[in-house]
Amino acid sequence: MAVYRFLDRALGVRWPWAGGCACDLSPTIDVADRFDAWAPELKHRGMRGSGREFTSWKFRLLAGGHDMPTYGHAFTEYWKRFGITKEHLEYFAMRADGRRMPVGMTDDAAFDPAASKASPAQYISICPSSTSLVAQIVADWKAKGAKRYVNICENDAYGVNICHCEACKALDEPPPANDCATPDKWFADRYVVLAKRVLAEAKKVRPDAQVVMYAYNATEQAPLREKLDKDIVVGLVPVLFSREAITDYLDRWRAAGCQTLFYRPNRRCYYLAACLPLGFERHFFDIFQLVRASGSIGYDYDGSSPGSRLGWFADYVILKAMSEPERSFEYWEDHYFAAFGPAAE
């Protein structure tokens, strides 16, 4: 990273898109004596994409991180381990029909070993009220070395597919009366209860342990009753990206006691500049800064690489902003278009 920073800052090298490089081709290099140091503010500076060129490109723009919480869908192997054998069906969400098994599967399919490779089995929801599940999560964490972070991020689970058992439903609160559009996103209370139970057990092993959960799908909106412990880390995965929606989203989680958060949006799955420039670069830079102002410790943008070269500018601005978030949009705009020399304007 020191080399890439030197090439950028001292020599004016630019990488406007994966596989593209712009630099001064003069026969001499003149670099003034200088000292440079960089201490990244953000613990994680991530952006997902496919291919070696994209991977190289984002690291040239100083993607990386340190001491980032462990996260990602935590229970994708659980049906294979505990469901097919019927050893611990109590770990899993009860369907509306009263069965604890993957959504849409019959008995023959669900308990066939091949089912573990199917999406309904890999992304089956858990039962947050299960006390034996708490013990299993902590046992798995200890078996992996009891590192600081305990990952309890739910699988991809919409509200209709989470647990229907009476114990879980007793942990819920009714969604706000004025939100009839997204009633399936207000189930965070039951998962915060789970997080607190796991955290209490983990701290018996490691006092500085922290639990990581998602604010995503069924848990997108903040809990209505429960308050978060300071050692519960929340990964924000919103689906609405207006300034008003993000502001409300952040405010709700902060009001619920969230002190440590990171931003892991699927935004790049939804907004791509395939053929024509769409002009959303400044908007998403402003959202980046809005989340930063709420105390985000890192970013992980999901989605494919841009579909055309017109899309690289938006990702460039965000990647560079993650390395130096105090800079303005105009600064990174000029930085990017300097790659085009006399055509920059």
Side-chain angles (χ1 to χ4, degrees):
M1 287 192 174
V3 171
Y4 289 134
R5 186 173 167 90
F6 171 78
L7 291 173
D8 178 324
R9 294 172 67 86
L11 301 182
V13 178
R14 299 287 185 270
W15 296 276
W17 53 74
C21 180
C23 59
D24 183 356
L25 295 180
S26 63
T28 60
I29 295 176
D30 183 16
V31 180
D33 291 339
R34 59 181 295 172
F35 172 81
D36 186 37
W38 176 54
E41 171 187 314
L42 299 173
K43 289 188 176 183
H44 189 53
R45 305 175 304 283
M47 185 173 287
R48 306 186 190 191
S50 58
R52 179 182 294 180
E53 281 193 340
F54 180 87
T55 300
S56 297
W57 178 73
K58 69 179 183 180
F59 285 124
R60 286 167 179 155
L61 273 59
L62 306 186
H66 62 282
D67 190 31
M68 186 62 186
T70 302
Y71 63 97
H73 300 305
F75 307 105
T76 56
E77 294 294 312
Y78 265 41
W79 186 254
K80 178 180 179 180
R81 293 174 61 193
F82 307 114
I84 289 175
T85 62
K86 301 184 181 180
E87 180 182 0
H88 287 293
L89 291 179
E90 75 275 11
Y91 291 174
F92 302 100
M94 179 183 288
R95 302 191 313 196
D97 62 3
R99 310 294 302 280
R100 292 186 186 269
M101 54 194 290
V103 172
M105 281 190 162
T106 63
D107 282 19
D108 289 343
F111 298 104
D112 183 330
S116 65
K117 299 179 181 179
S119 292
Q122 289 186 332
Y123 292 102
I124 186 173
S125 299
I126 57 170
C127 178
S129 65
S130 171
T131 55
S132 58
L133 175 62
V134 172
Q136 186 65 59
I137 291 171
V138 174
D140 288 346
W141 169 68
K142 289 168 63 178
K144 294 178 181 178
K147 297 180 181 180
R148 184 179 183 188
Y149 299 104
V150 188
N151 178 16
I152 66 160
C153 294
E154 173 66 290
N155 297 331
D156 272 331
Y158 296 103
V160 68
N161 293 331
I162 61 174
C163 190
H164 286 70
C165 81
E166 292 303 319
C168 281
K169 290 194 289 185
L171 300 176
D172 297 333
E173 292 289 325
N178 62 352
D179 186 8
C180 58
T182 58
D184 62 339
K185 298 180 180 295
W186 295 90
F187 295 95
D189 282 282
R190 61 170 67 181
Y191 287 91
V192 172
V193 169
L194 172 64
K196 289 179 177 179
R197 291 172 177 171
V198 171
L199 183 63
E201 294 302 311
K203 282 187 174 295
K204 295 176 183 178
V205 179
R206 179 167 178 163
D208 67 341
Q210 294 188 316
V211 168
V212 186
M213 63 175 288
Y214 272 158
Y216 182 34
N217 285 340
T219 62
E220 181 181 332
Q221 294 298 330
L224 296 164
R225 179 194 65 253
E226 295 294 327
K227 297 299 182 183
L228 278 69
D229 184 280
K230 66 178 179 61
D231 287 323
I232 296 176
V233 181
V234 180
L236 303 177
V237 191
V239 297
L240 299 177
F241 296 96
S242 69
R243 187 178 184 90
E244 295 75 17
I246 294 293
T247 299
D248 182 64
Y249 181 54
L250 292 166
D251 288 348
R252 287 180 182 274
W253 278 100
R254 282 299 193 187
C258 177
Q259 297 185 32
T260 306
L261 60 91
F262 62 94
Y263 190 57
R264 205 219 66 76
N266 293 315
R267 186 270 294 172
R268 293 167 65 252
C269 298
Y270 310 145
Y271 297 89
L272 293 173
C275 300
L276 295 174
L278 302 182
F280 55 48
E281 297 87 358
R282 183 187 294 272
H283 173 76
F284 287 117
F285 175 86
D286 289 344
I287 296 298
F288 165 88
Q289 292 292 9
L290 189 64
V291 177
R292 178 192 173 219
S294 287
S296 179
I297 62 172
Y299 297 78
D300 180 10
Y301 290 82
D302 202 357
S304 303
S305 307
S308 77
R309 288 183 178 175
L310 291 170
W312 291 99
F313 176 40
D315 284 354
Y316 185 97
V317 167
I318 293 297
L319 276 167
K320 296 301 286 186
M322 285 192 284
S323 68
E324 296 181 71
E326 70 279 4
R327 301 282 192 182
S328 68
F329 175 83
E330 289 76 14
Y331 178 89
W332 294 123
E333 183 179 38
D334 291 342
H335 195 277
Y336 178 82
F337 286 105
F340 299 89
E345 198 56 40

